[in-house]
Amino acid sequence: MMSREWFYMSAGQKHGPFEESELKSKLVRGDIRFDVLVWSEGMSGWKKVQDIPDFKDVERSLPKAVIPAKKIPPKPVEQAAGPVMGSATEPQESSPGARIPERRESRRRSKPQTGSPYVPNYLVHAIFCTICCCLPFGIAGILYATKVETYVRLGMMDAAWDASNKARMYCLTSIISSVVVFALYFLIGFAQL
């Protein structure tokens, strides 16, 4: 009697066919993991090796250290290589999720990630100018202000400072142009009296 032929899926590629004994030896050697998807003729679809009864004996025969855990713990968040200018260095915490609340809080305040220099984005100023002053210059200020944080995260500091300066320029232009327009409006109004 001929043994079943098996295929397995790894990195989006289908491998096989392999005889059952050959696939079991790959599992024992650690060439493939127990959570890899396999298929054989007669199956309705691809399933994980660990869910197929034919391979339970291999899984039971291996020590627990060889079989990967079903859930992989998250990787710890790395801190910046050096201290941030003007701050004291703090000891790193060993638990993987210890810095997650700090990251969420920094996103809420629109501050760059730890270790990145702060570049002002003038977003609040640009929104104020759009609502209260000159709409076209305010919108241009908003567009440049939203680019600042993206450039900082990508490490493109020259582009971040350029976008920051342009956002500030459009905010100032918006305020100055609205002051000039209102001044002319009142002068023309008084001149007609």
Side-chain angles (χ1 to χ4, degrees), residues 3 13 23 37 41 54 77 91 117 149 152 157 161 180:
S3 66
Q13 298 276 333
L23 194 62
L37 295 174
E41 193 172 323
D54 294 351
V77 178
E149 191 171 339
V152 169
M157 298 311 296
W161 279 108
V180 168

XYZ file of all heavy atoms in Angstrom, residues 3 13 23 37 41 54 77 91 117 149 152 157 161 180:
114
model
N 1.869 5.124 0.697
C 1.503 6.122 1.708
C 0.996 7.389 1.028
O 1.262 7.639 -0.144
C 2.711 6.435 2.588
O 3.707 7.079 1.825
N 4.548 29.746 -0.721
C 4.953 28.793 -1.750
C 4.477 27.395 -1.374
O 4.578 26.994 -0.219
C 6.485 28.770 -1.872
C 7.083 30.083 -2.284
C 7.060 30.262 -3.776
O 7.080 29.293 -4.512
N 7.009 31.497 -4.229
N 7.630 13.893 5.521
C 7.092 15.095 6.146
C 7.271 15.029 7.667
O 7.624 16.013 8.308
C 5.614 15.268 5.793
C 5.004 16.632 6.099
C 5.705 17.720 5.305
C 3.525 16.640 5.798
N 0.721 25.029 7.164
C -0.463 24.473 6.497
C -0.062 23.323 5.585
O 0.908 23.425 4.834
C -1.165 25.560 5.679
C -1.756 26.722 6.476
C -2.278 27.797 5.538
C -2.859 26.253 7.398
N -4.446 14.669 -0.817
C -5.618 14.312 -1.608
C -6.704 13.740 -0.690
O -6.430 12.955 0.204
C -5.236 13.275 -2.670
C -6.319 13.091 -3.716
C -5.849 12.202 -4.855
O -4.673 12.297 -5.234
O -6.674 11.430 -5.341
N -3.019 12.356 11.896
C -1.898 11.542 11.415
C -0.552 12.004 11.978
O 0.409 11.237 12.022
C -1.831 11.579 9.882
C -3.041 10.912 9.234
O -3.835 10.282 9.960
O -3.188 11.044 8.011
N 9.579 46.647 22.760
C 9.807 47.879 22.014
C 11.190 48.384 22.358
O 11.554 48.493 23.520
C 8.741 48.931 22.392
C 8.999 50.230 21.671
C 7.356 48.403 22.082
N 16.317 53.756 33.239
C 16.598 52.348 32.991
C 15.488 51.722 32.166
O 14.325 52.082 32.308
C 16.653 51.737 34.400
C 15.907 52.698 35.276
C 16.067 54.041 34.644
N 14.028 64.246 17.425
C 13.992 65.650 17.818
C 12.603 66.231 17.546
O 11.905 65.788 16.640
C 15.052 66.302 16.940
C 15.289 65.363 15.835
C 14.918 64.001 16.310
N 5.065 65.558 10.984
C 5.248 64.362 11.817
C 5.633 63.145 10.970
O 6.435 62.323 11.390
C 3.977 64.073 12.605
C 4.171 63.023 13.669
C 2.976 62.892 14.589
O 2.178 63.833 14.683
O 2.867 61.824 15.198
N 9.296 63.370 10.242
C 10.100 63.083 11.436
C 10.176 61.584 11.656
O 11.247 61.033 11.930
C 9.517 63.797 12.677
C 10.181 63.291 13.950
C 9.689 65.297 12.557
N 14.666 64.738 8.331
C 14.620 65.933 9.159
C 14.641 67.224 8.342
O 13.984 68.199 8.698
C 15.769 65.919 10.176
C 15.701 64.740 11.141
S 14.076 64.519 11.902
C 13.931 66.021 12.840
N 11.696 70.024 8.706
C 11.891 71.443 9.027
C 11.381 72.342 7.906
O 10.824 73.417 8.160
C 13.362 71.736 9.319
C 13.745 71.366 10.711
C 14.512 70.321 11.100
C 13.351 72.042 11.911
N 14.613 70.290 12.469
C 13.920 71.344 12.999
C 12.574 73.161 12.170
C 13.723 71.730 14.319
C 12.383 73.552 13.491
C 12.955 72.839 14.541
N -4.921 93.028 6.824
C -4.905 94.028 5.740
C -6.292 94.165 5.115
O -6.780 95.286 4.878
C -3.848 93.658 4.674
C -4.003 94.496 3.420
C -2.448 93.799 5.249
